[in-house]
Amino acid sequence: MRLITAPSKAANVGNFGRPHLGKVRCPLTQGMLMTQMLGAFAEFERALIRERTRAGLKAAVARGAQPGNPKMRARDPAAIAEIRYSHNERYLHELVDGRQRWLPTVERLRPHLPWALVLRQIRAISPSARSFSERTLVKACRTLVRAGYADAVILDPAPRLPPDSRVARLVADRLRTHPDSTLRDLASWLSLDLREPTPRGGLAWAPEGVRRVIARARALHLLDDEQPSEIEVGSANGLTM
């Protein structure tokens, strides 16, 4: 059991302190002792409850009782369907409640990019969104599509893209959502958050490399060239380095 240490300002209190015992005022040493004793009794009571519960289950099994849901043991189709429906409804509600943290990213990038890259984008969201693997992300999107909360187009197969086009789409999307990003910001984001390899296979992006990616995004018409766009405003504020 971990001992409870005295407060750091105990020397200024004198011989008396105020341990967390409600409004009871008692000497500091005795207060520490009482707190530790109460903690020990609480742990002892919890251990007793656990032992008695296990003993009761063991005795019930010895008398012939079978623990668990009788309908589930009998594989009742109605009971199985009810539990499955309840589980699916709870899962859907969890997705719907938190979808605004990650679903917009999916809708922007799918089906243009593969699920693996979309997942890396979601994991780079700060503060972190729902924890996904690639399989659970696809499952969540399918669930939301079936429930009418997302467009079915996000489930379409992603085309095969050359690496430079793939990174160009990532950077273009980043500039749409973070228009004030500088070249160094984008380089740090690609290197540290996405861990996107450079064209030469490295992991450290340089601002000049990001500049070439932005040029590629313009060539693919992923960024607007005709009007003063958000990226051009960013260039005036320090995007050109």
Side-chain angles (χ1 to χ4, degrees):
M1 182 176 64
R2 184 170 62 88
L3 295 178
I4 300 176
T5 58
S8 59
K9 297 183 179 180
N12 298 327
V13 179
N15 294 329
F16 291 85
R18 286 186 180 271
H20 295 286
L21 296 175
K23 296 183 179 180
V24 178
R25 183 178 178 88
C26 57
L28 183 60
T29 304
Q30 288 88 331
M32 290 175 58
L33 176 62
M34 289 297 299
T35 304
Q36 293 173 5
M37 289 177 62
L38 290 175
F41 280 120
E43 292 182 3
F44 175 69
E45 183 179 7
R46 181 179 180 182
L48 281 180
I49 293 173
R50 183 166 54 246
E51 289 179 2
R52 290 169 180 171
T53 301
R54 291 176 178 174
L57 289 174
K58 186 176 180 180
V61 171
R63 292 194 300 268
Q66 296 182 356
N69 189 327
K71 293 184 178 180
M72 290 300 296
R73 289 200 308 269
R75 308 300 295 173
D76 184 1
I80 295 175
E82 182 179 355
I83 292 177
R84 182 179 291 116
Y85 175 80
S86 176
H87 173 76
N88 292 339
E89 284 295 302
R90 183 171 62 252
Y91 177 65
L92 176 60
H93 290 162
E94 291 176 357
L95 292 178
V96 171
D97 290 342
R99 72 185 189 281
Q100 294 302 329
R101 295 281 296 115
W102 57 271
L103 185 58
T105 301
V106 175
E107 292 175 332
R108 289 196 312 269
L109 300 180
R110 289 289 305 170
H112 310 294
L113 293 177
W115 287 107
L117 283 180
V118 176
L119 177 61
R120 282 157 59 184
Q121 281 270 50
I122 292 175
R123 287 177 174 173
I125 295 175
S126 180
S128 60
R130 184 183 177 95
S131 178
F132 285 113
S133 65
E134 185 174 340
R135 182 184 63 82
T136 57
L137 176 60
V138 175
K139 176 184 176 182
C141 291
R142 286 175 177 167
T143 301
L144 292 178
V145 168
R146 284 196 300 266
Y149 290 97
D151 194 335
V153 70
I154 64 176
L155 301 178
D156 291 346
R160 291 184 176 272
L161 296 175
D164 58 343
S165 300
R166 181 187 65 194
V167 179
R169 286 191 176 274
L170 289 173
V171 172
D173 179 73
R174 181 69 174 183
L175 286 172
R176 293 191 196 99
T177 57
H178 297 75
D180 295 330
S181 297
T182 65
L183 288 177
R184 290 190 183 278
D185 293 337
L186 294 171
S188 175
W189 174 71
L190 287 170
S191 304
L192 302 179
D193 295 336
L194 293 190
R195 297 186 178 275
E196 177 67 25
T198 65
R200 296 185 177 182
L203 291 178
W205 281 83
E208 190 59 35
V210 177
R211 191 197 306 276
R212 288 192 290 269
V213 172
I214 294 174
R216 176 62 174 166
R218 288 186 181 277
L220 294 173
H221 304 290
L222 301 176
L223 296 171
D224 190 4
D225 282 328
E226 297 179 356
Q227 299 178 352
S229 61
E230 293 175 338
I231 184 173
E232 290 172 342
V233 174
S235 298
N237 291 335
L239 191 59
T240 303
M241 302 174 61

